[in-house]
Amino acid sequence: MMKRLLFTLCTVGILSGCGSEEVKVVKLDHMPSQWDVRDMNSNSFTTGPETWASDLLLACTDDPVPQIHEDVTVYHSYVLNRKAMISDYDAHAYKLVTYVKGEQNYVICQDGFSPKMRVGLVEKFPSFVQASEGVTIPSNPTIANGTPEQEESLKESDYSDVFEDPVNLIDGTMIQVTPSLNGSIHLTIGEDEGIFPLSIIEPYHAQMGSMTIALGYDEQSKEAYIFAKSEGGLLSYDPIVLITKDDYSQPEQQPKQFEGLKVERVLQAESLEPGVETPLYTFSFIEDGKRVTKDVHLTYTDREFATNESIEADKESNPAVPSGPFVFVHKTPLDEKATIDYPNVLRAAGIEMSDLMDAINEAEPVKREGEIEEYSLLTIIDGWVGQEFQLSFQRRSKKVDVYLTDSNRKQTFKLSSTGAETFFSYFPDLKE
């Protein structure tokens, strides 16, 4: 008799708790349909399928790796952009993800939380990462003197749409630089800093490949130019602008004039070691009526990736950035509009969502739902995850019952009377 009684109570489930689990109302997960996914290395930033979003959203969510000290192969970079702007500023509005292979499989991410990139580890790459499309790059930038063939190739490039008068390349000035994973390269002429094509190095730049760089000279303006051409076909041509310590406060600098410029390439190094001034050229030119000689150096600085501490510090330094969760009721899915506009979307009033989230969390499972009205959906967004419910109501003479249906689980929940009052305090427009 006792065994039969225990079996009966267990079949009731919720009453006995025998082997049953409480059904959680709020169960946030990635919502691929809310994201636009693009391959940054394709010629037209090809849009990827929504199914890629889940892997990209999971990237870099574990404890970060502080540094990568090895040669690596860099694969494609992908960018996620949230289709609906949920806030004036949302640190989760975009995410840049690059897959990198060394002794381990790395993933490198950047988002609105921190200017620094964050490194994570993955057991294996997603299926959409093509192993045949990687670019191998060194732990520190490598550098070498250019060949005559490379000089001829750069000379054949057409700059006629940029310069009215020809800017002649200076023979014997070409170098070839293969950038590293994360850092910057600075050019100095004497004690002054000048612009350089590889001033900032980031992982997704790896697809550009090695850069061939040479100097040009305009006899009329007396300006020197840096010409650069990447393996990926990118061309750049910039006049050398020097910035002295006194010039940093100036909003705009003018190109330096090098009267009677003569250049000698003195490069001997094979790589740019961090913090080391590497001799590149000597410049000889007329300054204040006298011929002067100045040494030209390149200096590589390797940048640190983000740590948990640096990310928290970035958050604390910008307390005005709103944090989730955000709760919306809306007429159509949030993935169908680029912005969240009234009256299609109503945003929960206020900035403190704890009472509303408690009301939703305390809802009870039921087997029926209410009547679907104009505002038929409720969405919670918290960081990279969220949840969408179908919203319905049962309007009575003195109160309104509120129902939330999770379509993925095919489960409906009813807010308590107190929970419904809390709900309408956040969405007063729906009370009528």
Side-chain angles (χ1 to χ4, degrees):
M1 179 68 180
M2 182 60 69
K3 290 182 179 179
R4 181 176 299 175
L5 177 60
L6 287 173
F7 174 78
T8 302
L9 288 174
C10 283
T11 59
V12 175
I14 294 177
L15 294 177
S16 68
C18 296
S20 66
E21 294 184 3
E22 181 181 357
V23 180
K24 292 182 63 176
V25 182
V26 177
K27 195 174 181 181
L28 304 181
D29 200 354
H30 297 134
M31 303 178 68
S33 62
Q34 289 193 350
W35 296 93
D36 178 74
V37 184
R38 293 186 182 273
D39 182 347
M40 290 189 65
N41 298 106
S42 65
N43 292 332
S44 57
F45 294 131
T46 304
T47 302
E50 292 176 353
T51 52
W52 292 5
S54 292
D55 287 302
L56 298 171
L57 290 167
L58 279 170
C60 306
T61 53
D62 294 330
D63 287 337
V65 176
Q67 196 55 278
I68 300 176
H69 293 292
E70 58 176 312
D71 296 354
V72 294
T73 300
V74 180
Y75 298 101
H76 278 204
S77 295
Y78 305 88
V79 65
L80 286 164
N81 286 291
R82 195 186 290 279
K83 294 178 181 178
M85 184 182 294
I86 66 171
S87 168
D88 292 339
Y89 178 82
D90 175 22
H92 296 93
Y94 77 95
K95 188 175 186 178
L96 175 64
V97 181
T98 305
Y99 292 93
V100 177
K101 186 174 184 62
E103 294 183 1
Q104 304 181 81
N105 294 325
Y106 300 100
V107 61
I108 302 176
C109 307
Q110 192 168 25
D111 53 40
F113 280 116
S114 171
K116 290 185 178 180
M117 289 171 288
R118 178 172 178 156
V119 181
L121 296 173
V122 290
E123 290 187 9
K124 63 178 182 178
F125 293 145
S127 58
F128 55 80
V129 178
Q130 300 297 321
S132 60
E133 298 180 357
V135 176
T136 300
I137 60 174
S139 56
N140 292 328
T142 62
I143 189 167
N145 290 323
T147 66
E149 291 77 15
Q150 289 171 331
E151 286 197 15
E152 287 301 319
S153 175
L154 193 57
K155 286 180 180 180
E156 292 172 359
S157 300
D158 184 10
Y159 298 97
S160 60
D161 59 334
V162 179
F163 303 109
E164 293 182 4
D165 299 312
V167 174
N168 298 316
L169 289 177
I170 303 173
D171 291 337
T173 62
M174 176 166 284
I175 61 170
Q176 180 169 317
V177 181
T178 301
S180 60
L181 189 64
N182 184 29
S184 59
I185 299 176
H186 299 281
L187 174 80
T188 53
I189 301 177
E191 295 182 353
D192 300 330
E193 184 175 332
I195 61 170
F196 190 69
L198 293 173
S199 58
I200 299 296
I201 301 169
E202 294 187 334
Y204 56 85
H205 291 158
Q207 299 290 332
M208 292 166 45
S210 297
M211 300 282 291
T212 51
I213 296 166
L215 297 179
Y217 186 65
D218 187 331
E219 292 284 354
Q220 292 189 1
S221 67
K222 312 301 181 187
E223 294 171 357
Y225 283 78
I226 294 181
F227 289 70
K229 184 177 183 180
S230 73
E231 289 180 342
L234 180 66
L235 291 171
S236 66
Y237 23 80
D238 295 292
I240 293 179
V241 175
L242 295 184
I243 302 173
T244 66
K245 293 180 180 179
D246 296 332
D247 289 334
Y248 277 104
S249 61
Q250 300 298 322
E252 184 176 350
Q253 306 300 325
Q254 297 300 317
K256 169 74 174 179
Q257 288 186 322
F258 297 93
E259 184 179 350
L261 178 64
K262 297 179 181 179
V263 180
E264 179 184 0
R265 185 177 58 195
V266 295
L267 176 65
Q268 298 293 325
E270 295 181 352
S271 66
L272 298 178
E273 301 300 322
V276 177
E277 285 191 340
T278 301
L280 182 60
Y281 306 116
T282 58
F283 276 15
S284 173
F285 55 95
I286 305 298
E287 187 173 63
D288 297 329
K290 297 180 181 179
R291 181 163 288 277
V292 298
T293 299
K294 294 189 177 182
D295 296 326
V296 181
H297 295 91
L298 292 181
T299 304
Y300 169 63
T301 303
D302 57 345
R303 295 191 299 172
E304 293 183 355
F305 290 103
T307 62
N308 284 330
E309 291 75 16
S310 69
I311 293 172
E312 287 303 317
D314 288 330
K315 292 180 183 178
E316 292 175 3
S317 68
N318 193 2
V321 174
S323 59
F326 301 96
V327 184
F328 306 92
V329 295
H330 42 110
K331 300 177 183 179
T332 57
L334 294 186
D335 57 13
E336 294 182 359
K337 289 181 69 68
T339 58
I340 293 181
D341 295 324
Y342 178 87
N344 182 64
V345 179
L346 305 178
R347 178 172 170 174
I351 59 174
E352 176 54 59
M353 294 294 111
S354 58
D355 290 343
L356 177 57
M357 293 300 295
D358 287 344
I360 296 173
N361 269 309
E362 293 166 4
E364 294 290 340
V366 293
K367 293 187 177 298
R368 57 159 294 173
E369 58 187 54
E371 298 293 327
I372 297 175
E373 299 182 0
E374 184 179 24
Y375 289 95
S376 59
L377 298 167
L378 180 145
T379 295
I380 303 168
I381 295 176
D382 193 359
W384 304 117
V385 294
Q387 187 174 7
E388 183 182 84
F389 295 95
Q390 180 179 281
L391 177 65
S392 59
F393 304 94
Q394 183 65 49
R395 298 188 179 274
R396 306 176 186 274
S397 58
K398 294 185 177 180
K399 69 172 186 175
V400 181
D401 294 330
V402 180
Y403 297 87
L404 300 174
T405 300
D406 186 330
S407 301
N408 292 330
R409 291 184 285 171
K410 295 180 173 59
Q411 176 65 62
T412 299
F413 303 91
K414 178 185 176 185
L415 273 61
S416 67
S417 297
T418 301
E421 291 178 6
T422 299
F423 172 84
F424 287 116
S425 72
Y426 281 87
F427 296 102
D429 290 358
L430 301 181
K431 181 68 172 178
E432 300 301 326

